[in-house]
Amino acid sequence: MPNMPYCFPGETPEWAAHSAPKAVVLAVDDDPGIVNSIMSILRPEFTVRPFTSGFEAIKYLGENQADLILLDYHMPQLTGSELLDMLLQDARTSKIPVIFLTGSGNEQNEVEVLQKGAMDYILKPVNARTLLARVRLQLELKCYRHHLEQLVEARSKDLIYAYNKLKLREEICLGLLARVTDMRDHETGDHISRTTEFTSLIVKYLLEDMRTGYELTQTQADDIIMSVKLHDIGKIAVPDQILQKQGPLTAEEFTVVKLHPEHGARLLDEFIERMGEDSFLNTARDIILSHHEKWDGSGYPEGLAGEAIPLSARITAIADVYDALTTVRPYKKAFSHEQSMKIIQESSGQHFDPYLVSIFGKLERQFNNIAQSMK
């Protein structure tokens, strides 16, 4: 079982356990006399494990814990510097404080091990009071570091929980807003849910099968899937008598409906101005404004063509039209999946991006499954 963090007796902070066990100190030196001297100095306060070989110390640490290591620099077979490298490369031992002991006053050696990660460097012969003070200091610092790590971990968990809760609240509010808006135009409001699922199919395909001009990051993909819920938010400005009219619209009424992308974009502009640069809001605006644009430039409201239409809007166009085709609308009956597929594929290169239509063809079974399950 791992040792509890050590705090020096008599100076234990209030936040530390008062019954903390003795710290375990490894004394590693090829001179048995030095090891015995270290043991006689430290044993009254600490549990000391003596080793005259670096390999023996490594073997011990493979199955046991240590709070601090006193390490000779000059040792045969495995030098102190080499042993330090091994300790730092192992996650189980990388945080154990190491104090070097050496009979040489070589400044280069001192700088070398301190740069690698050693905590201190003491010259032999070792002064008892100096050794005790340095060991106590490093163990106390280790105790404080452990406490700070615990505080950071606890705070991180709190922040993650708070972030996830805010994210969930944001998603719920967004979903409710989109659904309420959609219910003005459709009886159940399920158009939003289905269109989101259809969009997600295409987006996930693009993520898994990257192609030049159609690259997406995970963040961009998430933004598209989430913001597609708002694609018809501009219809909030369209009168009920037009949205809920039974039968075909007149030319004048259709002109009013065609304004909804611009209404929605203006609605978002206010929030974009207040928020500043925000990938989600910018993606949502692209979809809202451009999901009725057509590949050949005959769409609305700006008459964009080809790749000038944002990729997010081109994806949404297929998802939106497929749902419109396969569901009952005031002006039409529902088309079958096969009829809807044919209409979309025949519109490739005219209404829709040809490459996205080819993806739609590969995913048509999944599209049909969603359409059937969410009726």
Side-chain angles (χ1 to χ4, degrees), residues 187-201:
E187 185 177 344
T188 65
D190 287 338
H191 168 66
I192 291 294
S193 301
R194 289 190 300 266
T195 303
T196 301
E197 292 297 320
F198 297 145
T199 299
S200 180
L201 287 176

Side-chain angles (χ1 to χ4, degrees), residues 19-159:
S19 58
K22 281 187 175 183
V24 176
V25 178
L26 269 58
V28 188
D29 196 304
D30 62 307
D31 185 339
I34 297 294
V35 172
N36 287 332
S37 176
I38 292 171
M39 291 178 68
S40 66
I41 296 170
L42 299 182
R43 263 189 169 170
E45 294 184 19
F46 311 107
T47 299
V48 184
R49 304 297 184 201
F51 299 95
T52 54
S53 160
F55 289 114
E56 292 176 1
I58 286 293
K59 183 179 179 181
Y60 173 86
L61 289 170
E63 299 177 356
N64 301 277
Q65 299 287 322
D67 294 292
L68 184 140
I69 300 172
L70 295 169
L71 181 58
D72 183 26
Y73 186 90
H74 297 287
M75 292 190 297
Q77 297 181 320
L78 185 65
T79 68
S81 181
E82 292 169 339
L83 177 55
L84 177 62
D85 289 335
M86 295 173 69
L87 294 170
L88 293 173
Q89 290 169 10
D90 189 333
R92 295 176 300 112
T93 57
S94 61
K95 292 186 178 181
I96 302 175
V98 176
I99 298 177
F100 268 88
L101 305 175
T102 181
S104 167
N106 188 318
E107 184 178 335
Q108 183 177 346
N109 293 345
E110 180 179 355
V111 171
E112 173 202 347
V113 295
L114 290 175
Q115 287 181 336
K116 281 184 176 182
M119 303 304 294
D120 207 345
Y121 195 97
I122 302 176
L123 290 177
K124 300 176 187 176
V126 176
N127 177 278
R129 293 179 62 186
T130 298
L131 180 62
L132 269 173
R134 301 282 185 88
V135 168
R136 289 170 178 170
L137 175 62
Q138 291 304 327
L139 288 172
E140 196 167 322
L141 287 173
K142 182 188 177 189
C143 187
Y144 278 106
R145 281 197 299 272
H146 178 79
H147 175 60
L148 289 174
E149 287 172 359
Q150 288 182 320
L151 288 177
V152 169
E153 182 179 358
R155 181 60 60 85
S156 297
K157 287 180 179 178
D158 289 342
L159 288 173

